[in-house]
Amino acid sequence: MILEALAYLAIPCASHLRRMGYPGELVAIAARYRRRRRDWADHLANSRCVVEDAIARTRGRSRAVVLGAGLLHDVPLAALAAAFAEVELVDLVHTPWTRWQAKRLGNVRLVAADVTGTLASLADFGGPDLPVPEPSLGTAPADLVVSANLLSQLPILPIAWLDRRRCEGLALSADAIVEFGRSLISSHLDLLARQAGTVALITDVERMTFDARRHDRPLVESEDALLGVTLPWSGREWIWRIAPAPELHADQDRRHRVVGIPNIRESATT
Ligand SMILES: C[S@@+](CC[C@H](N)C(=O)[O-])C[C@H]1O[C@@H](n2cnc3c(N)ncnc32)[C@H](O)[C@@H]1O
């Protein structure tokens, strides 16, 4: 607990992002990773494999950009740094660990940016119209763009933030909040589709809950991680054992279905 509080304070971050919970979320992911390293191993290896495959499919060797770089668990950073003259890691917040990893390699730069272009106005939102997403890479175009387990995360804290404001009396319907979340997802997909180079996309698409009290672990709930937005491309699929019992609940096993696409332009459209 003390270590987590120190880690939280050590993350430099704009105050509106701190209010919305972003550094806290990264600290929570780091803590869960430490507890669930073995359960996450396949998912992280599969994700890194998709990025390595994307590197092999990319002709240009000037720049690679990773969106949602986070704690770099799923990013083969050394392979990227060896393959490209310059690598940029884009995220809202960068932890001291990520800074250290970047510095060690010499050609890796950190970019602090909001790829949805909405969070600054959302933090002070008083109604009536929600901001329109202005999706961006946060940096210049690149030979390879990787969206690394970011897509389904884009609406989570914004929706939680707006739900809280709604409970405090802000006149906003629950439907409008979910619709806003959807717009963050679809505008990120549009952004990826517009890129000229190789684009690798790794994202969870389904969140499943299994009954851990029973031997046969039946599925009890399934939730669309993309809020009903259809992924326009198909790729490899695997299951991420994100929170086996009792990580979140003594009687629930949580698993996510993940899709990994090394290059959206070479994938079959769905
Ligand atoms: C689940 S993590 C991705 C996993 C990460 N690649 C890793 O290995 O740790 C999602 C990341 O997306 C970042 N993120 C969420 N919303 C963002 C936004 N609007 N712009 C940029 N980064 C964002 C979070 O800060 C977090 O680091």
Side-chain angles (χ1 to χ4, degrees):
M1 210 53 186
I2 293 173
L3 275 181
E4 284 179 25
L6 289 175
Y8 173 80
L9 292 172
I11 300 177
C13 171
S15 68
H16 70 283
L17 298 176
R18 201 171 288 280
R19 275 191 285 139
M20 292 177 84
Y22 283 96
E25 189 73 2
L26 264 191
V27 171
I29 292 176
R32 188 171 299 160
Y33 170 71
R34 279 196 298 276
R35 289 191 298 269
R36 291 292 163 195
R37 191 184 287 253
R38 271 212 240 134
D39 295 303
W40 287 22
D42 280 352
H43 161 64
L44 297 179
N46 280 322
S47 299
R48 286 192 291 261
C49 215
V50 168
V51 180
E52 277 157 11
D53 192 349
I55 295 172
R57 291 167 191 248
T58 306
R59 285 244 195 96
R61 291 289 160 177
S62 304
R63 281 165 52 70
V65 168
V66 181
L67 308 177
L71 298 153
L72 299 171
H73 293 139
D74 49 19
V75 179
L77 189 59
L80 283 164
F84 294 91
E86 183 185 35
V87 178
E88 287 188 323
L89 304 177
V90 179
D91 204 294
L92 290 165
V93 286
H94 294 288
T95 63
W97 158 257
T98 309
R99 287 173 192 283
W100 179 71
Q101 290 288 313
K103 207 166 172 189
R104 230 162 49 104
L105 286 161
N107 61 341
V108 179
R109 211 169 70 86
L110 302 180
V111 178
D114 165 20
V115 299
T116 71
T118 59
L119 299 182
S121 27
L122 209 58
D124 295 324
F125 180 67
D129 297 323
L130 283 161
V132 175
E134 290 177 22
S136 80
L137 299 178
T139 182
D143 301 300
L144 169 61
V145 172
V146 179
S147 177
N149 285 300
L150 166 69
L151 184 68
S152 68
Q153 304 297 301
L154 292 175
I156 292 181
L157 290 184
I159 285 180
W161 173 256
L162 288 172
D163 276 340
R164 275 205 304 280
R165 306 293 315 279
R166 187 165 162 262
C167 290
E168 290 161 6
L170 185 72
L172 200 60
S173 73
D175 285 352
I177 294 175
V178 175
E179 193 48 52
F180 174 71
R182 243 178 240 130
S183 73
L184 298 182
I185 292 178
S186 47
S187 60
H188 186 70
L189 292 173
D190 292 344
L191 170 78
L192 297 182
R194 285 199 300 273
Q195 301 309 305
T198 304
V199 177
L201 171 63
I202 304 159
T203 182
D204 48 353
V205 291
E206 183 183 6
R207 303 186 179 124
M208 296 173 287
T209 304
F210 296 86
D211 186 347
R213 290 166 306 185
R214 290 200 14 203
H215 228 53
D216 54 348
R217 293 270 197 279
L219 178 69
V220 288
E221 201 182 314
S222 161
E223 189 194 349
D224 184 343
L226 302 183
L227 306 176
V229 177
T230 306
L231 210 56
W233 313 287
S234 61
R236 299 175 207 158
E237 294 197 4
W238 62 86
I239 300 298
W240 177 9
R241 292 171 49 79
I242 186 167
E247 176 67 32
L248 289 176
H249 290 282
D251 53 5
Q252 290 181 358
D253 248 3
R254 297 274 178 90
R255 300 176 205 167
H256 290 186
R257 185 162 61 86
V258 181
V259 174
I261 309 167
N263 187 7
I264 57 172
R265 215 148 285 111
E266 293 172 42
S267 103
T269 46
T270 54

